[in-house]
């Protein structure tokens, strides 16, 4: 074999190897190296707004499982002269499906928050203003933009909320008209 045949043979081998690696990369979705994110959510599973931290805790193929926790303060006016701020903790678990940076996200969560209610005291015949624990279950279906290597993070989704007041004695209700948007950074 002369030098030209050897170089042609090596070039063909190199080309075959490069094509096989590209085909393999197209079949296997990218593994997320940046599994954490911090973001601001407006609406959505936070109810009004929240600062959230999320983490992908499992990934296999195109499916990733994600959990998030957040914190917010909701304003509650007691009367014309007094306003109190009550803490809110949104929790969420979601499945994220897709390859590269575009994903379908489906999940549910729990919003735990303090609320106020008026309670009638039968002994003193007076109304008492009480702070009670309330909760809601947000559902989610939406779009999630997150690069495997990290960086800008964005999601938007339809998030209907099931409200169940465990301590106030109120009725369960379903709010189908709710959506949300989040943006932040994954790392």
């Amino acid at each position: 074999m002369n030098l030209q045949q050897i170089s042609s043979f090596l070039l063909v081998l190199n080309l075959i190897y490069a094509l096989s690696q590209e085909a393999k990369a197209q079949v296997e979705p990218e593994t997320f190296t940046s599994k954490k994110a911090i973001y601001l959510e407006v609406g959505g599973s936070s109810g009004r707004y929240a600062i959230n931290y999320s983490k992908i805790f499992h990934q296999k193929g195109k499916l990733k499982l994600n959990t998030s926790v957040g914190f917010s303060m909701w304003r509650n006016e007691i009367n014309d002269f007094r306003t109190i701020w009550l803490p809110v903790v949104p929790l969420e678990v979601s499945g994220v499906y897709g390859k590269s940076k575009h994903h379908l996200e489906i999940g549910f969560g729990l919003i735990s928050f303090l609320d106020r209610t008026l309670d009638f005291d039968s002994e003193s015949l007076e109304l008492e203003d009480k702070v009670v624990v309330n909760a809601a279950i947000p559902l989610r279906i939406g779009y999630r933009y997150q690069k495997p290597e990290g960086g800008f993070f964005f999601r938007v989704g339809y998030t209907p909320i099931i409200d169940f007041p465990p301590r106030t004695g109120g009725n369960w209700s379903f709010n189908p008209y709710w959506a949300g948007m989040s943006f932040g950074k994954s790392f």
Side-chain angles (χ1 to χ4, degrees):
M1 278 177 127
N2 65 23
L3 186 60
Q4 185 179 8
Q5 290 174 330
I6 293 173
S7 62
S8 296
F9 177 73
L10 289 175
L11 181 66
V12 169
L13 278 179
N14 197 13
L15 184 62
I16 291 171
Y17 177 76
L19 289 173
S20 70
Q21 290 300 315
E22 184 167 350
K24 183 179 177 184
Q26 288 177 357
V27 171
E28 296 177 12
E30 295 182 49
T31 301
F32 272 59
T33 55
S34 297
K35 297 179 181 181
K36 302 171 187 168
I38 293 202
Y39 57 92
L40 172 67
E41 181 172 34
V42 179
S45 62
S46 65
R48 296 180 189 167
Y49 70 93
I51 299 292
N52 293 297
Y53 169 81
S54 73
K55 183 175 181 183
I56 296 172
F57 63 90
H58 176 75
Q59 58 182 330
K60 185 169 185 173
K62 293 181 182 180
L63 179 66
K64 296 144 202 76
L65 299 178
N66 180 72
T67 185
S68 66
V69 62
F71 182 77
S72 181
M73 294 291 285
W74 288 359
R75 182 178 178 201
N76 201 331
E77 292 185 17
I78 294 177
N79 54 37
D80 292 337
F81 305 107
R82 188 165 166 228
T83 299
I84 58 175
W85 291 85
L86 300 171
V88 179
V89 178
L91 304 169
E92 185 175 15
V93 175
S94 59
V96 180
Y97 185 79
K99 62 180 182 176
S100 187
K101 55 191 170 190
H102 303 288
H103 304 88
L104 170 67
E105 184 174 21
I106 298 174
F108 67 95
L110 176 70
I111 306 171
S112 176
F113 59 97
L114 295 178
D115 201 359
R116 62 179 264 282
T117 185
L118 292 174
D119 193 23
F120 181 71
D121 185 0
S122 59
E123 291 180 13
S124 65
L125 301 175
E126 293 181 2
L127 284 177
E128 291 182 35
D129 191 18
K130 287 187 172 182
V131 175
V132 295
V133 176
N134 250 340
I137 300 171
L139 308 173
R140 172 179 300 278
I141 183 163
Y143 167 77
R144 181 178 183 132
Y145 176 88
Q146 182 176 356
K147 294 179 186 176
E149 67 276 4
F152 179 70
F153 171 89
F154 173 77
R155 69 183 190 163
V156 62
Y158 170 61
T159 56
I161 294 178
I162 301 168
D163 184 29
F164 67 99
R167 300 279 185 204
T168 60
N171 295 324
W172 287 54
S173 63
F174 178 68
N175 181 359
Y177 307 109
W178 200 252
M181 182 179 357
S182 306
F183 56 92
K185 181 176 179 161
S186 63
F187 54 95

